[in-house]
Amino acid sequence: MARRTTSSSTGSSPGPRNRTPQPLPRRRRTFGDFVKAFGAFVALVVLLVGVPGALVVSVGWPLPHGTPELAWLQQEITVGTFIHVLTVIVWFAWAQFTACVLVEMKAALSGVGLPNRVPGAGGSQLLARQLVAALLLVGATAASLTPGLSQLGQSLEGNQRGSVAVAQQTPGGLFGQQQEQAASSAAAAIAEQAANAAAHADSGGAHAAKEGDTKYYRIQPPEGRHHDSLWEIAERHLGDGRRYKEIYQLNKDRTQPDGSKLSEASLIRPGWILEMPGDAHGGELVQMPDEAPKVSEQVQQQIHDYSQTGDHAQGGGQKQQAQGGDRDTAHIQLPHQRSGGDQGSGHQQQQNQNQNQQQQREQAGSEEGRGFSFGLPEALVGAPLLAAGLLGALGRRRRQALWQSALGAVGGRRGMEPPIPTGSAADAQDALLVGADPEGVRLLDLSLRGLAAALAAESRPLPTVYAAWLSGNGDLHLQLAQPAGKPPAPWQLGQDQTFWMLARTDAERYEDVDTAAPYPGLVSLGTMDDSRLLLNLESVPGIVSLSGSASDRAGVFASVAAELATNGWSDRMTITLVGFGQDLTPLAPSRLRHLDDVEALVETMEAETRQRRGALGAAGHDSVLTGRTGPAQHTRWAPHLVLLAAEPSAEDAVKLAELAADASRLGIGYLVGTESGDLPGAAWEMEITSQGKLLAPLLGLELDAQLLPVEQQRAVVELFVEADPEREDANASAPPFLVDISEQGRPAVYARLVGPYEIIGLETPDGERSPLMHEALALLLLHREGVHPRVLSSALWPRGVTEDVRDALVERLRGWLGHDPDGTPRLGTDATGRLTLAKSVVSDLDVLRSLYHEATQGKGVNSRAVRGRLLTDALVLVRGPLLADRVQGRYGWLTHEIIDAQLPLLVADIGLALSAFHLEKDRAGQAIEALNASLNSAPGDERLWNELLRATHATGDSERLKALAADLVSRSGARGLPPRTEALLDELLPTWRSGVAAAG
């Protein structure tokens, strides 16, 4: 079978390597080796035998031969006394050195583990080790000594190259390492013996293996250093930590001495054996399996057994890797999934549904073979939390535009319909609809706020959270900076003391609580397997640096900025963008701000850092987390997150590092881009690759990055710009679909949506599919511009559905609607691939819009009688709220729509226009009837109440006007009447305030 090739650190061309162990030729001993060995032997003899012999001959026994008496202590101190004291000290030093020699000899000859440290020995043990190594250099056992002669002159601790020191202070210990799992004593002994099958103490490399030879490394226990990781092993022995993937691929799924395997979402453990690429170096750690002298035959057999695994046992494993593109997750600390007994069948069903949804989201181009011309932007489809935030913010923007437009005019209102997006903006909107997970956002927000409320009730502070993992089945895992005790119910401890876990079923039982958002700085970075990582930028003990090309970094920065600006699990927040993002500010003008350069940023953040330190000190809080769990002071502790895309100068980088040193306590976070990857003060270092991978080796992360590419960023911003309340749009007043309201325009299929749902012209489908088909038709009727098939399926099956089930529904729906007399199907597909309804399929909402449009902008403009008839007919159609009797648990997609705001405004406009029509002829009673009819559907519209006051005043009945004023005051509650209504009452009924006071 073909072997995997690895690149050489020396630059030579790699060739196929045979995994079968090839013996390494022993290096011939030189004359210098024998000289060193002889010198070491002489030194040991002198120190171990000569020193005590000389002391015995020259001084004798230095201590008293009997029990000391008080008179002995009072004797005069002579030269002989000093000699005896010094002799005792020398004897103690000799005994300590002898113990060091025995310890080193035992370790060298047994080949088991690192030598134990002799207390207080220090340099004595180092000297003993060097002499023993030199003595045994001419024998096979020298290979197991650590350090060898290459470390002469170094400190005892210097022989082990540990991990980067910061790994223990930052989430390198969080994301990249798990608790060590205990193995059986027999497996541990085998692992310890395999450790000392390292090789070749020479620093000159004459004893190095030839290029292409198979070498093995035993993972060392974390004694006096950090836990080992694949990155650090590759950095030490291959010269480049990024080559850790080669080690992973060579050892993936191979059985270790303790019976476990290196596999995805697992970790490396002390005692495991790793095959290394042929160019691995580092004599004391890399060895041939046959070169393990002075160990038992059982240990050699274990190493041989491991060397025979891999391709020999896996068969087509290499081929599968080539096809499947495996990625390394071997040392990633993902939250462990709960056992099947805990999850139950409901969790299994939930996981299956999520898998179906993932399959649905991966259909980007599958429509092309079925007659559809395009897919959807997968960056938005695959970012459910980002999509939900953007979609929610877009809906709020459109509602705001509707209300602002409504307050600007009484009749003939502009902006009834928001502009229908086209082109890339339409695709972006569809992708948001398909990808959004508003339920996931809601549960995340409820879970975090519920946790904060529970901790406050127990008078416990919020723990510092570095990250949150959302698993595929909806469980939430919080990764803490340090253990914080037992979490409040229903939260549970996760895989260790630094994980708090909440099951989705428990999260669904949470209710809204009045507390501050505890972790608003959480933001999605990407996915690993079926889990999504949210990093808490606010809690970083320093700067988060992001390296990679400028274009790749731009996608990450845009995604982070957009999600922070629109997410549903935060309250107030400030996001400062530097070096990018000026065009992103329309997403959230109240949150996003743009600065031109780093100099302005440094000046701004220096002032804010001082202000926050002073505010925390004055409030008696040690961090913003303490403030968020207290009384209603949390608005002062809103986070400020800085996103700096361009690499700062060396001087500015130092200033930012100084500011970031205390930032996590103050609620300030920094994400800074860099070309080189070397940024002062960077606590967490990440890299984005051209393949869309987000790497953080020291954190143990390799994610499929969440990105917002430039094209999709522009399309999303276009949606928000088009929805801007201040934007003028000449076509906004025209409904998207006008129907023929004459007798000749009678539709073939008529659906009544305003009120109870009814369909006229079709037989009710039989069986359980009827509600689903009714819902699908309602969605199509509310979107006459067309509905993308993926939007339809995500609306009807928000937890996911397969493509064949969706297509079956579309065909069933097409058959149910039938054909027009000319043979045209009433459910068709337009040129963009969206499903559209024929003009012969009409809803009462279409008729309502058409009647109002014709009355105010058509025939009714020049004919008073026609206007009155059309407005009256329109108001008769209003039978209640939209889809008043819809089945509970269905029609969840309506939360993404603005029809719930459009319909009341449309009904109010019709009532206002009809009231004005009657008041022109002094028919106040009929005007009041029209206004009351409209209030049934739009009870909160201030314009209707004000017009009702005017119409009631026109009747001349002061008592009726007083009663209406009292009713309005009682409805307003503690908030009081709106200013415009108060001013109108002052004009129409100056005594209304005294009447209210008397009634009170």
Side-chain angles (χ1 to χ4, degrees):
M1 176 172 292
R3 295 289 303 130
R4 171 187 173 89
T5 61
T6 59
S7 60
S8 170
S9 61
T10 61
S12 60
S13 301
R17 295 194 301 108
N18 192 337
R19 188 182 296 274
T20 304
Q22 300 297 322
L24 179 68
R26 297 179 182 270
R27 183 175 66 90
R28 297 182 62 183
R29 308 308 180 195
T30 65
F31 178 74
D33 293 337
F34 286 98
V35 171
K36 291 179 182 178
F38 180 75
F41 174 76
V42 171
L44 286 173
V45 169
V46 170
L47 292 174
L48 295 178
V49 180
V51 169
L55 290 175
V56 171
V57 172
S58 61
V59 179
W61 184 249
L63 298 177
H65 295 281
T67 304
E69 298 179 355
L70 183 60
W72 179 82
L73 296 177
Q74 295 175 347
Q75 290 179 0
E76 181 182 358
I77 298 177
T78 64
V79 175
T81 305
F82 277 110
I83 293 176
H84 282 78
V85 171
L86 292 175
T87 302
V88 171
I89 295 175
V90 174
W91 273 108
F92 275 116
W94 173 85
Q96 185 186 61
F97 178 77
T98 303
C100 293
V101 172
L102 293 176
V103 167
E104 295 297 326
M105 290 290 292
K106 178 180 181 296
L109 295 175
S110 67
V112 178
L114 294 174
N116 295 323
R117 292 187 180 182
V118 177
S124 296
Q125 186 165 5
L126 178 59
L127 176 61
R129 178 174 300 181
Q130 293 166 350
L131 292 174
V132 171
L135 176 63
L136 299 181
L137 182 62
V138 295
T141 55
S144 65
L145 298 179
T146 314
L149 294 181
S150 60
Q151 282 82 28
L152 281 173
Q154 299 180 15
S155 67
L156 183 62
E157 289 77 11
N159 66 81
Q160 299 174 6
R161 180 175 177 181
S163 306
V164 178
V166 75
Q168 211 172 36
Q169 303 168 2
T170 60
L174 274 149
F175 300 119
Q177 300 162 7
Q178 295 180 354
Q179 296 290 333
E180 292 186 37
Q181 301 182 6
S184 66
S185 58
I190 292 171
E192 297 243 354
Q193 290 174 349
N196 292 285
H200 326 307
D202 254 23
S203 61
H207 202 181
K210 295 182 299 183
E211 183 68 26
D213 284 333
T214 306
K215 303 177 184 179
Y216 289 84
Y217 166 60
R218 186 260 180 184
I219 300 170
Q220 302 295 318
E223 296 180 5
R225 59 185 178 84
H226 305 297
H227 293 264
D228 229 338
S229 69
L230 292 181
W231 174 277
E232 292 163 356
I233 295 170
E235 190 175 54
R236 290 198 300 269
H237 305 297
L238 299 177
D240 186 353
R242 289 172 294 184
R243 293 184 62 188
Y244 71 97
K245 292 183 180 180
E246 298 177 31
I247 306 175
Y248 173 71
Q249 295 295 348
L250 285 173
N251 297 277
K252 180 185 176 187
D253 294 330
R254 296 171 64 181
T255 303
Q256 293 290 338
D258 62 0
S260 56
K261 296 181 179 181
L262 175 63
S263 60
E264 289 189 352
S266 68
L267 69 160
I268 61 175
R269 302 175 186 169
W272 278 9
I273 303 170
L274 298 178
E275 180 180 348
M276 302 292 289
D279 61 329
H281 53 81
E284 75 278 7
L285 296 177
V286 181
Q287 66 159 28
M288 294 292 299
D290 287 336
E291 296 252 327
K294 301 301 181 181
V295 296
S296 67
E297 293 182 1
Q298 181 183 10
V299 174
Q300 293 189 22
Q301 186 61 45
Q302 289 284 342
I303 301 175
H304 270 294
D305 290 344
Y306 185 78
S307 69
Q308 296 301 321
T309 61
D311 282 353
H312 300 286
Q314 296 172 7
Q318 290 288 341
K319 182 177 180 180
Q320 292 173 0
Q321 287 178 8
Q323 293 175 349
D326 274 338
R327 58 189 179 86
D328 170 31
T329 55
H331 55 290
I332 303 224
Q333 191 181 7
L334 278 170
H336 294 323
Q337 301 295 323
R338 294 180 301 160
S339 64
D342 293 336
Q343 293 183 22
S345 60
H347 279 285
Q348 183 63 42
Q349 182 180 5
Q350 175 82 25
Q351 192 165 6
N352 292 338
Q353 290 169 337
N354 279 281
Q355 290 173 354
N356 289 338
Q357 186 177 28
Q358 184 65 25
Q359 292 174 3
Q360 179 191 22
R361 290 174 176 173
E362 291 172 355
Q363 296 171 187
S366 62
E367 287 86 353
E368 186 172 357
R370 300 176 178 269
F372 304 136
S373 61
F374 68 98
L376 292 176
E378 289 304 303
L380 294 173
V381 172
L385 305 184
L386 170 61
L390 288 171
L391 204 57
L394 182 60
R396 291 190 295 272
R397 180 70 54 83
R398 287 173 172 171
R399 288 180 176 87
Q400 181 185 11
L402 285 174
W403 280 106
Q404 289 191 13
S405 181
L407 294 175
V410 175
R413 207 176 58 77
R414 295 182 179 181
M416 172 58 68
E417 302 294 337
I420 297 175
T422 58
S424 60
D427 293 345
Q429 178 172 278
D430 286 341
L432 294 177
L433 290 167
V434 171
D437 183 13
E439 181 66 8
V441 170
R442 187 183 73 86
L443 291 179
L444 176 61
D445 184 46
L446 288 177
S447 301
L448 296 177
R449 293 180 193 267
L451 174 63
L455 290 171
E458 298 178 5
S459 299
R460 295 172 59 187
L462 285 169
T464 300
V465 169
Y466 277 152
W469 291 93
L470 281 174
S471 64
N473 59 12
D475 294 346
L476 174 62
H477 303 254
L478 296 183
Q479 201 158 0
L480 313 184
Q482 57 189 7
K486 183 179 180 181
W491 290 78
Q492 306 170 24
L493 283 175
Q495 62 202 53
D496 58 42
Q497 295 291 324
T498 61
F499 272 97
W500 285 4
M501 189 273 290
L502 180 69
R504 182 186 178 97
T505 52
D506 293 327
E508 289 170 344
R509 291 195 286 267
Y510 265 122
E511 298 180 356
D512 291 325
V513 292
D514 185 16
T515 189
Y519 303 112
L522 286 169
V523 63
S524 302
L525 290 186
T527 57
M528 180 185 299
D529 299 331
D530 65 343
S531 296
R532 180 170 301 276
L533 170 67
L534 289 85
L535 196 64
N536 190 5
L537 287 178
E538 187 187 18
S539 71
V540 180
I543 291 174
V544 178
S545 69
L546 178 66
S547 61
S549 69
S551 58
D552 293 330
R553 296 201 314 265
V556 177
F557 274 99
S559 172
V560 170
E563 185 169 299
L564 288 173
T566 61
N567 73 55
W569 54 87
S570 62
D571 299 320
R572 295 172 60 252
M573 183 186 300
T574 300
I575 307 160
T576 298
L577 312 180
V578 186
F580 82 109
Q582 189 169 9
D583 52 343
L584 288 174
T585 52
L587 300 181
S590 62
R591 285 192 177 189
L592 291 171
R593 69 177 181 180
H594 180 268
L595 295 179
D596 294 329
D597 51 43
V598 181
E599 183 179 354
L601 172 67
V602 171
E603 182 180 353
T604 300
M605 298 315 299
E606 284 177 344
E608 179 155 354
T609 299
R610 287 194 301 268
Q611 186 274 330
R612 291 202 173 211
R613 283 174 179 162
L616 280 177
H621 299 313
D622 56 353
S623 75
V624 295
L625 292 179
T626 309
R628 286 177 189 156
T629 54
Q633 301 177 7
H634 58 267
T635 54
R636 298 172 59 187
W637 316 122
H640 186 165
L641 303 176
V642 176
L643 308 181
L644 173 57
E647 182 170 12
S649 65
E651 182 180 356
D652 290 332
V654 171
K655 293 179 180 178
L656 289 174
E658 293 173 351
L659 290 172
D662 194 30
S664 59
R665 186 177 69 91
L666 305 176
I668 302 175
Y670 294 87
L671 176 62
V672 181
T674 173
E675 292 286 348
S676 62
D678 185 13
L679 195 67
W684 300 349
E685 297 179 345
M686 301 185 181
E687 176 188 0
I688 180 66
T689 70
S690 58
Q691 291 77 34
K693 297 290 185 181
L694 190 65
L695 309 178
L698 292 181
L699 308 182
L701 291 178
E702 181 178 346
L703 304 173
D704 294 322
Q706 178 172 297
L707 305 172
L708 186 58
V710 175
E711 298 79 6
Q712 295 167 35
Q713 175 185 329
R714 291 172 180 167
V716 168
V717 171
E718 181 181 342
L719 291 173
F720 280 80
V721 171
E722 292 291 335
D724 192 337
E726 305 298 328
R727 182 180 177 85
E728 294 291 337
D729 195 322
N731 300 320
S733 59
F737 177 67
L738 293 173
V739 301
D740 185 356
I741 57 177
S742 66
E743 190 65 27
Q744 292 75 24
R746 185 179 297 275
V749 178
Y750 182 66
R752 304 178 72 179
L753 305 178
V754 185
Y757 190 4
E758 299 177 17
I759 299 179
I760 301 171
L762 293 176
E763 295 292 335
T764 302
D766 296 329
E768 299 297 327
R769 297 190 179 97
S770 178
L772 192 64
M773 295 176 67
H774 278 74
E775 185 177 358
L777 180 57
L779 177 61
L780 291 166
L781 286 167
L782 292 177
H783 290 278
R784 302 304 304 227
E785 73 278 10
V787 177
H788 193 286
R790 295 181 70 185
V791 174
L792 177 68
S793 62
S794 66
L796 300 180
W797 295 281
R799 292 182 176 178
V801 69
T802 56
E803 186 178 348
D804 58 334
V805 173
R806 180 200 68 192
D807 293 344
L809 172 71
V810 172
E811 292 304 318
R812 197 175 293 115
L813 190 61
R814 184 175 283 116
W816 180 43
L817 291 174
H819 295 72
D820 284 336
D822 61 357
T824 304
R826 291 174 182 149
L827 178 61
T829 304
D830 66 9
T832 66
R834 291 176 170 83
L835 300 172
T836 58
L837 292 173
K839 293 184 177 181
S840 58
V841 183
V842 173
S843 72
D844 55 355
L845 186 58
D846 298 326
V847 176
L848 190 66
R849 288 167 169 162
S850 299
L851 287 172
Y852 178 70
H853 177 76
E854 193 68 24
T856 56
Q857 300 181 49
K859 297 178 181 178
V861 174
N862 299 318
S863 173
R864 171 181 167 79
V866 171
R867 182 168 73 254
R869 176 175 58 82
L870 292 174
L871 291 172
T872 301
D873 290 346
L875 198 56
V876 170
L877 290 176
V878 181
R879 301 175 300 125
L882 186 74
L883 300 168
D885 59 350
R886 59 179 177 264
V887 179
Q888 186 176 5
R890 302 204 68 90
Y891 298 88
W893 46 270
L894 281 173
T895 58
H896 297 317
E897 308 284 344
I898 63 169
I899 185 63
D900 59 337
Q902 286 178 300
L903 181 58
L905 288 176
L906 176 60
V907 174
D909 283 348
I910 294 172
L912 292 170
L914 189 55
S915 171
F917 171 81
H918 288 305
L919 287 176
E920 289 177 2
K921 295 296 184 180
D922 296 326
R923 296 195 290 264
Q926 292 174 288
I928 292 174
E929 290 179 4
L931 293 168
N932 282 327
S934 298
L935 281 169
N936 290 332
S937 295
D941 197 314
E942 179 188 356
R943 299 171 303 153
L944 289 176
W945 289 106
N946 291 349
E947 197 64 19
L948 185 59
L949 286 172
R950 294 188 181 93
T952 304
H953 180 265
T955 63
D957 189 342
S958 60
E959 294 300 322
R960 188 175 182 178
L961 183 60
K962 290 179 181 179
L964 178 59
D967 185 29
L968 272 175
V969 172
S970 64
R971 287 174 180 267
S972 64
R975 298 179 61 183
L977 292 173
R980 295 188 182 189
T981 303
E982 284 192 356
L984 180 60
L985 277 174
D986 287 339
E987 174 66 23
L988 301 180
L989 187 63
T991 60
W992 73 275
R993 298 179 188 275
S994 58
V996 170

